[in-house]
Amino acid sequence: MRLTVLAAVSLLAVAAAGCTNETLDSFDKVDVDLARVSSKTGYQLSPAVLSKLSSMNIDRSSPMVLRIFKEEGRLELWKSDRTNRFKLVRNYKICAWSGKLGPKTKEGDRQAPEGFYPLSRANMNPNSSYYLAINTGFPNNYDRANKASGTHLMIHGACSSSGCYSMTDEQMVEIFAFARDAFDGGQSAIQLQAFPFRMTAENMARHRNNPNIEFWKMLKVGYDHFEVTKRPPEVNVCEKKYVFNQQADKPFAPAGACPAMTTPAALDVALGSYNKTYAAAYAKAMGKYEGTVWVEPSEAQRKAIVADQRKGRELAYAPTGNSLDAGKLMTEREIEAQKRKAEEAEQRKIAAIERAKQQAEQARLDAEQQKIEEAEALAADVAAVKAQKEARGAGAMPVPEENPGVAVIEKKEKKPFWKLWAKEEAPRSVEPAESVTQGGEQAKLDAGQETRKEARIPTAETATRKVEKPVEGAGTLPVPEENPGVQVVEQTAKKPLWKFWQK
């Protein structure tokens, strides 16, 4: 029944479809002073806003619709007048939205949702960490049917976004008041329509090469229905696709086959006329954009063009510019040249990395070779020293040598005072010792007799003797040499006074 009435009214909208106030370049300034807001959830719309509603034949508590156009960075608030047609009431500039044009498909992709979302009073969050928030309801039936994931995607304040549409706190106070009044007036669900851009012939032609174009063509059907009727379309999902204003005898299953469907006749006629006009406009736009490609900017590029707005603000304040200002329309030749330039830069980067690797490997090999050469040189030095020692010693056992830099001085023993009258005897040279040989038995006997003779004569004179080196030969043992700088003196014990008569 509702669609029948909608179709009857839609014919009246066809003439005005090409001339609406939704393409205004300016944004509305919100006259909200937060310092004077005692309750952010109890804020009442300003007298200026209420006066505007009255002039547009709109009741304060009438139903509303929210429409988002990412590329422009715009959020529109529409309200139903007393003829049940929706009119644009407020035109807000979105402070920040994350990601690029296109739908959200998975948690963490930083994409803000695109599609049709019903918002109930339960979606409103007065206790948000971002001042105030309205949950978009993502994922909806379409998103779930297509395995899209994500949570807590909001329209909120604080001008900082990570997959959300972020407004200023002043804007959120006003939007929250509009939604509260609509729910109080009996509206059960506010429709949120989130589009990448206005689905005009020129925009569709400009974005024809975008990988999301088929998804956007599906959204365009719902966009067209609103443009024709100025009423939010009835949205269902079947075969994992959106369907709009379709009458069916069986229920819709998001992932199941679509039931037999029909479009109300009057609406079908109105859409036919609208689409004919659109086709002509699209052909004209294709002539304009033939051979060109729209280069969609990244989120970082959109932030860069409004970087000056962050100066003097808190760190959390992170506005983003719109895609129209940050994007660029390029010819295919320019795209190819840019692509070649990027490929050459990438090749140079790869070559530089490869050279660095080769240099590092060569440095490693050189260091290893240097270590080997140093080890070989050290081994050669050790071998040379060993050879020199073997040449000097000829295999003999090492004999400690005296230190030539140290002179050994022997002090004479001082005589006690009672021996002052005793005369000193001059030292006598020691006779050279006989050589020791393997057959030196006779020498031993002679030495024994000499020893006994000296023992019998205690007054034998003393003499210094030089020790002769042993004769080299088999079986001889190395004997330490005497220090040539030291004279060895032997003294015999002097006779006591009472033995003076002994010779």
Side-chain angles (χ1 to χ4, degrees), residues 48-252:
V49 172
L50 294 176
S51 176
K52 181 179 181 178
L53 294 178
S54 178
S55 67
M56 298 174 70
N57 197 29
I58 297 174
D59 294 328
R60 176 176 179 171
S61 59
S62 67
M64 61 177 277
V65 170
L66 294 175
R67 305 185 85 197
I68 289 175
F69 301 99
K70 274 187 180 179
E71 188 172 58
E72 300 175 24
R74 190 182 300 265
L75 185 150
E76 296 178 345
L77 193 151
W78 294 63
K79 281 183 73 67
S80 175
D81 66 8
R82 294 187 180 98
T83 65
N84 203 25
R85 292 189 65 216
F86 282 73
K87 296 179 180 179
L88 178 61
V89 174
R90 298 299 269 173
N91 188 20
Y92 302 105
K93 180 180 180 180
I94 298 174
C95 192
W97 58 272
S98 60
K100 300 178 69 173
L101 300 187
K104 183 173 186 63
T105 58
K106 61 182 179 180
E107 185 81 56
D109 62 6
R110 292 188 61 81
Q111 286 293 102
E114 292 177 4
F116 292 78
Y117 298 87
L119 312 177
S120 67
R121 191 186 289 269
N123 291 73
M124 299 178 70
N125 180 10
N127 302 313
S128 172
S129 299
Y130 297 88
Y131 196 69
L132 290 169
I134 301 175
N135 195 314
T136 62
F138 182 93
N140 61 13
N141 289 337
Y142 170 85
D143 300 321
R144 285 189 289 270
N146 286 276
K147 309 298 183 183
S149 61
T151 55
H152 308 302
L153 301 171
M154 311 280 180
I155 301 171
H156 60 66
C159 191
S160 179
S161 175
S162 180
C164 300
Y165 296 103
S166 185
M167 318 298 292
T168 65
D169 295 347
E170 291 83 357
Q171 290 170 334
M172 281 307 301
V173 166
E174 189 172 275
I175 295 171
F176 221 75
F178 270 115
R180 181 201 61 223
D181 290 347
F183 288 130
D184 290 345
Q187 187 174 10
S188 59
I190 297 171
Q191 188 174 93
L192 168 63
Q193 304 174 7
F195 299 107
F197 43 78
R198 297 186 189 279
M199 317 298 268
T200 62
E202 184 158 323
N203 285 342
M204 293 297 287
R206 181 163 53 89
H207 289 283
R208 68 191 181 282
N209 296 314
N210 193 291
N212 297 299
I213 190 64
E214 293 303 320
F215 172 72
W216 292 340
K217 287 179 179 180
M218 179 178 59
L219 296 186
K220 182 181 178 298
V221 177
Y223 174 91
D224 293 345
H225 281 218
F226 184 85
E227 292 298 303
V228 170
T229 66
K230 288 299 181 286
R231 292 180 179 178
E234 186 174 328
V235 181
N236 283 294
V237 180
C238 60
E239 297 180 4
K240 301 181 180 180
K241 297 182 294 184
Y242 282 113
V243 293
F244 304 95
N245 290 331
Q246 294 299 299
Q247 294 176 328
D249 295 333
K250 295 181 180 180
F252 292 91

Side-chain angles (χ1 to χ4, degrees), residues 118 154 212 328 361-362 383 398 424 449:
M154 311 280 180
N212 297 299
K328 187 177 182 180
E361 179 64 17
Q362 187 61 44
E424 292 185 0
Q449 292 176 2

Side-chain angles (χ1 to χ4, degrees), residues 302-311 319:
R302 290 191 295 109
K303 285 183 176 180
I305 64 175
V306 293
D308 291 343
Q309 297 180 18
R310 302 188 67 177
K311 293 179 179 179

